[in-house]
């Protein structure tokens, strides 16, 4: 796992597939996404490296239920005692009440998915499920970062969310938006349940004011993020194929 400082109060934890974020408010932390199965101990080490204890993490907020974002949630919740927050439409899949619906793959996405799957724990390794999942809704304001507003962005999954911290100029997009690992170009995320719905949600996020945008995959945009996202939605292509 690689740890990258995005802002003095924000660290990105990069896993072989996907990434999570730690936001610091004084002596308290918020974890945004939790990496794949097996990431719990790695996140705990990252928290310790910041001079804090896993129990200083106040909440774990999941942008959606996919295994590279929610797989480590139960593990880290057990280590930290932090509640796990997810949108009500994705919460049953985070809890393990039912299997989540698979993406509707475009043909060009299949080889990308096959390569990514090789870097994740095998399907036989089951995630530790959080004992409880707190359901959040669109427009709800969470108590970190000066007030983090939950933004419903269905499409990648039905219960995908973004988080907008207007007082800090920061936007977390989950997998609705990504940055290319090749050239850093901002694109619509892949492996979606509803491609057109994801594009609508991309536009919704691009309409928000943010200086910094943090994605589920790819390097953050550290300056003029709103303008960068809006320009991306105006291109002929907002996906890599």
């Amino acid at each position: 796992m690689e740890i990258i400082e995005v802002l003095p109060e924000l660290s990105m934890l990069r896993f072989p597939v996907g990434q999570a974020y730690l936001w610091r408010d004084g002596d308290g932390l918020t974890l945004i996404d939790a990496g794949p199965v097996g990431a719990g101990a790695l996140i705990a080490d990252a928290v310790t490296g910041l001079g804090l204890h896993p129990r200083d993490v106040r909440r774990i907020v999941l942008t959606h239920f996919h295994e590279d974002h929610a797989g480590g949630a139960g593990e880290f919740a057990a280590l930290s005692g932090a509640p796990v927050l997810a949108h009500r439409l994705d919460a049953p899949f985070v809890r393990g009440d039912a299997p989540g619906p698979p993406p509707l793959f475009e043909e060009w996405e299949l080889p990308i998915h096959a390569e990514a799957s090789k870097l994740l724990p095998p399907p036989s390794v089951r995630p530790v499920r959080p004992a409880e999942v707190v359901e959040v809704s669109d427009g709800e304001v969470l108590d970190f970062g000066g007030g983090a507003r939950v933004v419903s962005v269905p499409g990648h999954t039905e219960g995908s969310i973004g988080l907008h911290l207007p007082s800090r100029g920061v936007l977390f997009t989950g997998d609705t938006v990504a940055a290319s690992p090749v050239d850093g170009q901002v694109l619509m995320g892949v492996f979606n349940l509803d491609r057109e719905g994801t594009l609508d949600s991309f536009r919704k996020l691009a309409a928000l004011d943010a200086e910094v945008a943090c994605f589920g995959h790819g390097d953050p945009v550290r300056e003029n993020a709103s303008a960068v996202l809006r320009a991306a939605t105006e291109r002929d292509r907002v996906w890599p194929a």
Side-chain angles (χ1 to χ4, degrees):
M1 181 186 71
E2 183 182 9
I3 304 175
I4 299 167
E5 182 181 285
V6 181
L7 296 169
E9 62 270 72
L10 178 61
S11 299
M12 181 173 74
L13 313 181
R14 176 167 280 162
F15 302 101
V17 178
Q19 48 218 28
Y21 296 89
L22 282 167
W23 179 274
R24 183 168 187 165
D25 287 300
D27 60 354
L29 293 168
T30 294
L31 176 65
I32 298 137
D33 286 330
V37 171
L42 298 175
I43 297 168
D45 288 344
V47 170
T48 302
L50 293 173
L52 297 173
H53 189 277
R55 292 200 174 273
D56 293 319
V57 176
R58 310 297 190 215
R59 63 194 64 78
I60 303 162
V61 187
L62 300 179
T63 61
H64 60 292
F65 75 84
H66 285 164
E67 60 184 328
D68 54 329
H69 293 258
E75 299 165 5
F76 188 71
L79 291 170
S80 64
V84 176
L85 283 61
H87 190 277
R88 62 179 182 82
L89 294 177
D90 272 20
F93 314 130
V94 175
R95 287 193 296 261
D97 295 343
L104 300 177
F105 292 108
E106 301 289 324
E107 186 173 350
W108 57 267
E109 293 178 322
L110 293 173
I112 302 172
H113 184 261
E115 288 302 311
S117 296
K118 294 176 183 178
L119 300 175
L120 291 170
S124 58
V125 179
R126 295 186 177 182
V128 176
R129 299 295 184 181
E132 181 182 1
V133 177
V134 178
E135 298 182 4
V136 298
S137 301
D138 184 48
E140 187 171 341
V141 178
L142 307 180
D143 187 20
F144 74 94
R149 186 167 66 89
V150 175
V151 184
S152 178
V153 285
H156 184 67
T157 68
E158 288 188 1
S160 284
I161 61 169
L163 294 168
H164 184 216
L165 284 57
S167 69
R168 308 308 295 268
V170 176
L171 177 66
F172 297 93
T173 73
D175 279 1
T176 300
V177 188
S180 167
V182 177
D183 58 9
Q185 182 172 249
V186 172
L187 304 161
M188 188 173 80
V190 295
F191 312 156
N192 299 302
L193 188 64
D194 176 355
R195 186 184 180 104
E196 291 304 315
T198 306
L199 180 54
D200 288 342
S201 289
F202 188 159
R203 294 184 177 120
K204 181 178 181 179
L205 292 173
L208 301 173
D209 289 330
E211 181 71 11
V212 175
C214 299
F215 312 125
H217 300 269
D219 291 336
V221 174
R222 299 170 186 257
E223 295 181 348
N224 302 316
S226 295
V228 173
L229 266 64
R230 289 167 191 157
T233 65
E234 293 167 1
R235 292 198 308 265
D236 291 337
R237 291 194 302 129
V238 292
W239 46 80

